[in-house]
Amino acid sequence: MNRDLKIGDRVRFLDATGGGVVRKLLRSSGVVYVEDESGFEMPVLQSEVIKVEEAANDEVVTPPKQSPVSKKPSRKEAQPMIARGDDPSGERLNVSLCYLPEEGGQIGRCRYEVYLVNDSNYDLFVTYSSGRGAEQELRYSGVVPFDSSEELESFDPLELPERSRTTVQLLAFKEGGIVYRPKQAMSFELKIDGARFLKEGAFVESPYFDDGAITFELVKEDQLLVTKKVEAEQLASEMMRAKVQLDSPKRRARKGVASHKGEPLVVDLHINELVDNTLGMEPKDMLEIQLEKVEEVLRSRRKPNHVGEKVIFIHGKGEGVLRKAVWDLIHRKFPRHDLQDASFQEYGFGATQVTIR
């Protein structure tokens, strides 16, 4: 890989004729943008080019080309239908983050556009950042006016890994000397599955756009959404279920600790008990977190003084998907432990008892 490449270097392609000048480098993903003689920027892997000429010290480096902010005719924006403040329903925030394929483009090859839809009487100050983990790059900051949508950015499919973790922060207010009721500042962390952007069926009809879109509802009727509605898959119904309602429970220990010596440790595996926000998470991501919790608890009890102790995992009844995954994990990684359904009289449906051996 040409790790010594820098903006302004002239390169040629290894597997094709031609070449051009480096205009942008994405070191973490190994992607370089090369501008050819016609002025077109092409994203390629750094390993697919070779440097033929160093950048001149006095060369003026042109910034990466930005997609025009002007909206396409088919991108139906939420236009203000009434004067701000006249409709009580507009006082409740409804905010969505929408991903759309570039109009007329082929899924998986075209660029993608990101829109923030503000369906309320409030103006929104928005910051939008993304990256591969906790450290992210700011990609948009500004005000999205009431009853409108704003394009935050557009990006190439090769840049999807740089957006696997996305953060949106919102602050609602009203400009122009209007008296309003302040709302809390909001922050949303989304996990973006790049594979979905390669599937035609992932882009579905949206209330705000004529074209199909991948839509994340961030706020609905002033309520911060902690789950993203997806297809009614078997796993989704299991992992997104609200906390199980136990049938006539006689006793329930505090989550994560034993009530007193001799009492079992009770661990609630419902996803809303394990994470603060599941926005943007797929069912398989939730299942992974739940199984990691099971393994963490059992590994913490490997010392001899824990032999004979009991652990109760609350997983709910549902379709039995989570129960099966828990049992498979324990049989595979903790084969010495005894495994059985927990007492129905004490814990109701949907609980597993593990005895440490």
Side-chain angles (χ1 to χ4, degrees):
M1 182 179 293
N2 295 283
R3 294 191 177 277
D4 59 340
L5 279 181
K6 57 183 178 295
I7 293 175
D9 285 348
R10 183 168 294 278
V11 298
R12 65 176 175 83
F13 303 127
L14 292 177
D15 299 330
T17 59
V21 178
V22 175
R23 293 306 183 194
K24 184 178 180 182
L25 289 168
L26 299 177
R27 297 287 186 189
S28 57
S29 60
V31 175
V32 57
Y33 282 75
V34 178
E35 181 182 343
D36 61 18
E37 293 180 354
S38 65
F40 178 77
E41 285 188 12
M42 178 185 304
V44 296
L45 295 175
Q46 292 186 40
S47 58
E48 296 178 352
V49 299
I50 183 170
K51 180 167 62 176
V52 296
E53 185 181 336
E54 291 276 355
N57 293 333
D58 57 349
E59 178 176 349
V60 178
V61 176
T62 59
K65 294 183 178 180
Q66 301 294 328
S67 295
V69 178
S70 59
K71 312 300 186 297
K72 309 294 190 302
S74 63
R75 305 300 202 221
K76 182 178 65 178
E77 298 183 0
Q79 297 295 334
M81 303 300 293
I82 56 175
R84 171 161 52 185
D86 291 350
D87 182 6
S89 65
E91 297 303 296
R92 296 187 293 272
L93 295 180
N94 288 280
V95 184
S96 297
L97 187 69
C98 302
Y99 293 81
L100 295 88
E102 192 172 54
E103 190 171 10
Q106 180 181 353
I107 298 297
R109 294 181 178 273
C110 67
R111 295 180 67 82
Y112 296 99
E113 299 169 350
V114 186
Y115 287 82
L116 194 288
V117 178
N118 175 16
D119 187 9
S120 75
N121 286 339
Y122 281 78
D123 301 309
L124 293 175
F125 182 77
V126 179
T127 65
Y128 162 79
S129 61
S130 60
R132 291 175 180 260
E135 295 185 354
Q136 300 181 359
E137 179 181 343
L138 180 66
R139 305 192 186 277
Y140 174 90
S141 65
V143 175
V144 179
F146 72 99
D147 283 333
S148 69
S149 65
E150 180 73 22
E151 182 178 351
L152 306 185
E153 69 158 344
S154 70
F155 60 88
D156 188 271
L158 289 175
E159 298 176 293
L160 274 168
E162 303 297 331
R163 287 153 178 79
S164 57
R165 291 292 188 275
T166 294
T167 300
V168 179
Q169 296 175 309
L170 307 174
L171 181 63
F173 65 100
K174 292 184 180 181
E175 291 186 312
I178 299 175
V179 176
Y180 65 93
R181 186 184 296 273
K183 297 181 182 291
Q184 64 175 341
M186 294 156 278
S187 182
F188 304 89
E189 295 183 3
L190 291 76
K191 183 175 181 180
I192 306 300
D193 181 4
R196 298 187 64 210
F197 287 75
L198 307 178
K199 302 175 183 178
E200 291 276 359
F203 296 87
V204 298
E205 184 177 348
S206 164
Y208 304 107
F209 298 95
D210 293 332
D211 303 329
I214 295 176
T215 301
F216 292 86
E217 287 187 297
L218 304 180
V219 188
K220 187 171 184 179
E221 298 296 318
D222 257 357
Q223 299 299 311
L224 279 64
L225 299 185
V226 295
T227 58
K228 178 183 180 296
K229 295 182 179 179
V230 294
E231 296 179 3
E233 303 172 20
Q234 185 182 31
L235 278 173
S237 64
E238 179 69 26
M239 261 72 79
M240 290 184 181
R241 185 181 299 276
K243 191 174 179 180
V244 66
Q245 299 296 318
L246 301 179
D247 291 354
S248 303
K250 294 185 177 180
R251 167 181 55 78
R252 189 166 187 181
R254 290 178 295 156
K255 295 190 292 293
V257 295
S259 298
H260 53 78
K261 188 173 180 61
E263 288 291 326
L265 172 72
V266 179
V267 181
D268 194 333
L269 295 179
H270 287 86
I271 193 64
N272 58 312
E273 297 291 340
L274 303 180
V275 298
D276 294 329
N277 193 324
T278 61
L279 189 67
M281 294 175 62
E282 297 290 338
K284 60 182 176 63
D285 301 321
M286 301 183 201
L287 180 60
E288 182 179 334
I289 291 173
Q290 291 165 313
L291 294 181
E292 285 176 353
K293 182 64 176 179
V294 173
E295 187 168 353
E296 173 192 332
V297 171
L298 295 182
R299 287 191 182 280
S300 70
R301 278 162 170 69
R302 282 188 160 179
K303 294 182 179 180
N305 60 309
H306 291 294
V307 172
E309 291 184 357
K310 292 178 172 55
V311 181
I312 306 295
F313 291 107
I314 306 293
H315 45 64
K317 185 178 178 182
E319 301 294 331
V321 177
L322 180 55
R323 176 187 180 277
K324 182 180 185 304
V326 169
W327 282 54
D328 287 347
L329 170 70
I330 297 174
H331 281 313
R332 188 174 67 256
K333 294 193 174 184
F334 305 93
R336 297 180 59 183
H337 295 347
D338 293 335
L339 196 58
Q340 66 185 71
D341 289 322
S343 168
F344 168 76
Q345 291 184 336
E346 293 186 85
Y347 299 101
F349 289 109
T352 289
Q353 175 180 295
V354 180
T355 303
I356 307 298
R357 298 301 183 193

